[in-house]
Amino acid sequence: MIDAEKTNMNNSFNSVKLILGDQLNLNHPWFNSVNENILFVLMEVRSETDYVKHHIQKVVAIFDAMRKFAVELKEKGHHVHYLKINDSENKATITENLKVICTKFSAKEVHYQLPDEFRVDEELKQLEGEIGIPVFISDSYHFLTTRNEFGEFFKGKKTFLMENFYRHMRVKHQVLVDSLNKPVGGRWNFDQENRKKVPKNHVIHTVLLTSKNVSGIVEEIEQSGIKTIGKVEPSEFYWTTTRDQALILLEEFVSVSLPLFGTLQDAMTENHWYLYHSRLSFALNVKLISPLEVIKRVEKAYFENPDLCELNQIEGFIRQILGWREYMRGIYWSQMPAYAELNFFENKRPLPSWFWTGNTKINCLKHAISQSLDYAYAHHIQRLMVTGNFALLAGIHPDEVDKWYLGIYIDAFEWVEITNTRGMSQFADGGIVGTKPYVSSAAYIHKMSDYCRNCYYSYDKKVGEKACPFNSLYWNFFDQHAEKLRSNPRLGMMLNVWNKMTNDDRTAILLQASSYLEQIETL
Ligand code: FAD
Ligand code: DLZ
């Protein structure tokens, strides 16, 4: 425990202010000036470490970031009370700890910032009744939209089209627009140019941040008995856990990776785990860095050197943060809690056990899963078109898929995980987020990666020995869900292709798919 008593002679504070593990925003107005009557509280709690089985690196990163944030606050003169996971007085939940802390320090009021997860929001709404003193809520001053703004923007509309929201955000925040609010470069979207594979003989140049040693935290987590997944190398931990490190990562991204970000955004390779992606998601989601400062820095790179950082690289990146990230948050707060129950395709199958080991002969899945277990990270297309694609084609229950994504990734917090997983990837929301399910056969994976050349299965075979499971499962998906997919204008063409195949071909493909599904554990 980092002792607050040592810094306050009276051992009493008028206000206790709770800072959650994903609210590490040094620029929040709470910290503008030092106030002797305020005690800031951070706590490592089993209720947050155990609501899903997290990747070990995610728990380490959160604890490391929280501890360093507490130290930074103290260095600025604030009073801080920090509960570590194994402290004897730690009561394991936010509410129970706050009860003890408020009594101990004779607090007259509690403050918290709007949490990002529905589960925690519900818990904190009960605080006043539980603790018996007034509770005040503050914004987290991180996002570019309020919780309700999204609902207001789409009020009366039949669909939640991301592109409309994104253009609105570009204008609202004056990002990549001219004085007439028209898009710089004449187009809002450069996606067409961002679908390249890694060229042959291309040498990937990126920079890893200097590693740090997290052995102490790893030992404490082991002692606590928290169950985790994945691997950690305690002497070489690369995730950014302070604002300074996040700013360095941003600069390195801008100078080294941004010039190729858009072009190779959808590419996948066995030889590199993040390619030209920024790995800023953890720092963004725990609020070490703000979305607007990242966007403005990237936009500046374009205006300073448009030949190096071309518009398709910049726009592709900005759309992810200004568009998708805010959009997903809007969907979350407009649709929860019903969203977490949606299962449009009524899928039932459990996740194969090799999702937890990477032990499969399907090379793209082996690579994407193993990499996720090794680094707590996979980039967007690996998540969407490899693991997510397979889960949807195999008819895995969305609860199982959510649990996996929420646990395994360093950046996984429900507001952005469930909307991407249940929504974009599994289409379990029936089309709230996406206009069509993201499914593909092996052809797409072969086109965008080098995975297929070293695979046990043949990407160009639909049936027979060693035919790639993605192929028969893809057509099986259209066959199984034809009723539900027929009315979707974006899928009509594929349904026609399926219907035009001969009966014999269709039967052979469906048999292959059903045999693969029966032996899913050994694929
Ligand atoms: P980059 O590719 O460098 O992109 C820059 C930033 O844009 C990211 O840091 C992120 O903040 C934002 N971004 C990009 N795509 C999205 C998106 N679709 N939704 C929201 N923000 C986006 N992202 C999370 O932050 N947490 C999650 O739990 C999460 N789960 C996902 C689950 C699935 C099934 C899929 C398909 C995507 C998920 N994403 C999630 C979105 C995206 O894959 C990650 O944000 C990205 O891979 C993080 O790596 P990066 O920082 O290198 O991103
Ligand atoms: C993810 C996480 C974990 C693993 N541990 C903690 C913790 O011990 N203490 C804490 O305050 N926050 C933790 N978090 C982040 C919370 O889950 C997150 O703040 C809430 O879900 C709200 O988004």
Side-chain angles (χ1 to χ4, degrees):
M1 186 175 70
I2 297 171
D3 251 340
E5 296 97 300
K6 286 185 190 143
T7 56
N8 182 292
M9 302 297 282
N10 301 324
N11 207 20
S12 74
F13 294 88
N14 188 64
S15 310
V16 157
K17 293 195 172 182
L18 171 70
I19 303 167
L20 293 171
D22 61 350
Q23 295 180 334
L24 310 181
N25 173 10
L26 266 184
N27 294 323
H28 191 280
W30 273 4
F31 314 121
N32 282 353
S33 58
V34 171
N35 187 326
E36 289 301 314
N37 292 314
I38 296 174
L39 179 64
F40 292 106
V41 171
L42 294 100
M43 53 179 91
E44 298 168 6
V45 275
R46 291 300 292 258
S47 57
E48 294 310 302
T49 58
D50 294 13
Y51 67 83
V52 74
K53 210 193 264 186
H54 298 281
H55 197 294
I56 176 76
Q57 293 187 36
K58 182 176 170 193
V59 185
V60 170
I62 294 265
F63 286 6
D64 194 43
M66 287 173 70
R67 290 178 187 193
K68 289 185 168 140
F69 189 78
V71 170
E72 280 186 88
L73 288 185
K74 289 190 81 179
E75 283 171 358
K76 288 181 186 298
H78 297 287
H79 296 290
V80 181
H81 186 74
Y82 193 100
L83 276 175
K84 285 188 175 176
I85 197 75
N86 296 324
D87 282 343
S88 54
E89 59 270 56
N90 194 329
K91 300 286 176 216
T93 73
I94 297 169
T95 304
E96 291 308 311
N97 278 329
L98 279 177
K99 274 187 198 167
V100 174
I101 291 166
C102 287
T103 306
K104 182 171 177 178
F105 294 106
S106 315
K108 309 228 170 2
E109 55 191 46
V110 175
H111 296 243
Y112 68 84
Q113 298 172 25
L114 279 176
D116 289 341
E117 289 196 1
F118 189 84
R119 178 182 55 81
V120 179
D121 199 48
E122 290 296 297
E123 179 182 347
L124 296 183
K125 278 183 189 161
Q126 310 304 320
L127 263 187
E128 198 160 288
E130 290 284 337
I131 303 185
I133 55 175
V135 173
F136 299 90
I137 308 172
S138 162
D139 201 326
S140 63
Y141 295 104
H142 171 80
F143 291 98
L144 300 168
T145 40
T146 64
R147 275 189 188 176
N148 301 329
E149 201 173 324
F150 179 88
E152 283 153 22
F153 179 76
F154 283 108
K155 203 170 177 182
K157 308 252 170 40
K158 283 205 183 95
T159 52
F160 301 101
L161 215 57
M162 201 304 269
E163 190 64 26
N164 293 348
F165 173 76
Y166 168 57
R167 290 179 190 187
H168 159 76
M169 293 293 279
R170 288 265 295 270
V171 174
K172 180 181 164 194
H173 294 280
Q174 291 293 293
V175 177
L176 293 180
V177 289
D178 63 21
S179 56
L180 298 172
N181 289 335
K182 297 279 179 246
V184 169
R187 278 155 61 194
W188 293 100
N189 187 315
F190 289 78
D191 234 6
Q192 297 293 345
E193 283 143 60
N194 291 353
R195 289 176 187 152
K196 306 248 172 12
K197 190 175 181 151
V198 179
K200 258 200 186 125
N201 304 325
H202 174 80
V203 180
I204 300 163
H205 282 296
T206 58
V207 186
L208 259 186
L209 268 187
T210 335
S211 73
K212 46 189 168 284
N213 195 314
V214 290
S215 311
I217 295 184
V218 172
E219 269 170 39
E220 286 175 54
I221 292 170
E222 280 165 4
Q223 279 160 15
S224 74
I226 296 169
K227 302 239 177 332
T228 59
I229 50 173
K231 294 181 192 150
V232 65
E233 181 48 71
S235 58
E236 275 186 358
F237 193 72
Y238 290 104
W239 290 108
T240 49
T241 52
T242 65
R243 176 167 167 77
D244 284 350
Q245 288 167 6
L247 290 171
I248 295 170
L249 183 63
L250 173 60
E251 285 311 312
E252 282 176 353
F253 169 71
V254 166
S255 59
V256 181
S257 305
L258 189 56
L260 277 173
F261 174 85
T263 307
L264 296 180
Q265 188 177 357
D266 289 359
M268 297 178 281
T269 171
E270 279 187 307
N271 301 323
H272 206 281
W273 60 279
Y274 55 88
L275 269 158
Y276 295 99
H277 292 272
S278 68
R279 289 157 299 130
L280 281 165
S281 50
F282 176 77
L284 275 163
N285 292 353
V286 300
K287 307 181 183 59
L288 293 171
I289 196 162
S290 86
L292 196 59
E293 70 186 315
V294 174
I295 290 165
K296 287 290 172 192
R297 177 65 190 93
V298 166
E299 188 191 34
K300 184 167 164 250
Y302 168 71
F303 287 123
E304 280 176 357
N305 196 345
D307 291 335
L308 182 67
C309 292
E310 300 154 303
L311 205 47
N312 69 308
Q313 326 292 350
I314 305 297
E315 190 280 318
F317 184 80
I318 286 179
R319 178 151 27 94
Q320 307 311 316
I321 299 184
L322 188 61
W324 281 111
R325 190 169 185 268
E326 296 288 326
Y327 174 84
M328 290 309 199
R329 178 165 181 269
I331 292 276
Y332 185 75
W333 286 108
S334 72
Q335 304 295 321
M336 281 295 279
Y339 203 79
E341 305 289 324
L342 299 179
N343 185 359
F344 180 69
F345 292 121
E346 297 170 63
N347 285 332
K348 293 190 177 67
R349 204 178 300 279
L351 209 57
S353 55
W354 42 260
F355 260 73
W356 306 97
T357 61
N359 196 5
T360 168
K361 299 190 284 298
I362 311 172
N363 197 39
C364 55
L365 281 158
K366 184 191 181 73
H367 186 264
I369 294 171
S370 304
Q371 172 194 310
S372 304
L373 291 165
D374 288 349
Y375 298 107
Y377 179 89
H379 66 71
H380 188 67
I381 292 300
Q382 293 175 307
R383 296 185 204 196
L384 187 65
M385 297 312 293
V386 178
T387 41
N389 186 11
F390 181 83
L392 180 52
L393 293 180
I396 310 295
H397 195 296
D399 285 357
E400 292 261 310
V401 189
D402 264 333
K403 208 162 49 172
W404 187 78
Y405 279 98
L406 188 57
I408 201 160
Y409 290 118
I410 194 82
D411 50 37
F413 296 87
E414 193 188 61
W415 64 273
V416 57
E417 176 281 322
I418 198 170
T419 41
N420 269 294
T421 303
R422 202 170 276 257
M424 183 190 279
S425 160
Q426 299 301 293
F427 205 75
D429 63 3
I432 296 175
V433 165
T435 48
K436 70 174 178 70
Y438 279 96
V439 284
S440 82
S441 65
Y444 175 85
I445 297 171
H446 177 59
K447 183 174 148 224
M448 296 310 300
S449 78
D450 54 19
Y451 291 144
C452 301
R453 64 178 181 200
N454 291 327
C455 189
Y456 168 87
Y457 295 100
S458 306
Y459 71 88
D460 53 359
K461 279 177 78 178
K462 289 193 198 63
V463 292
E465 211 194 336
K466 297 189 180 178
C468 174
F470 274 95
N471 292 333
S472 51
L473 291 178
Y474 177 71
W475 291 114
N476 182 61
F477 173 83
F478 282 97
D479 185 69
Q480 296 283 301
H481 302 301
E483 270 312 301
K484 286 181 172 158
L485 300 177
R486 212 182 309 279
S487 59
N488 189 318
R490 298 190 67 193
L491 296 176
M493 201 178 84
M494 291 326 283
L495 276 169
N496 281 342
V497 174
W498 173 239
N499 289 329
K500 280 187 181 152
M501 285 186 203
T502 64
N503 277 344
D504 284 355
D505 282 350
R506 283 209 304 264
T507 306
I509 290 171
L510 294 179
L511 274 174
Q512 183 90 24
S514 118
S515 139
Y516 276 153
L517 288 174
E518 266 167 40
Q519 36 168 324
I520 194 166
E521 279 296 332
T522 54
L523 285 179

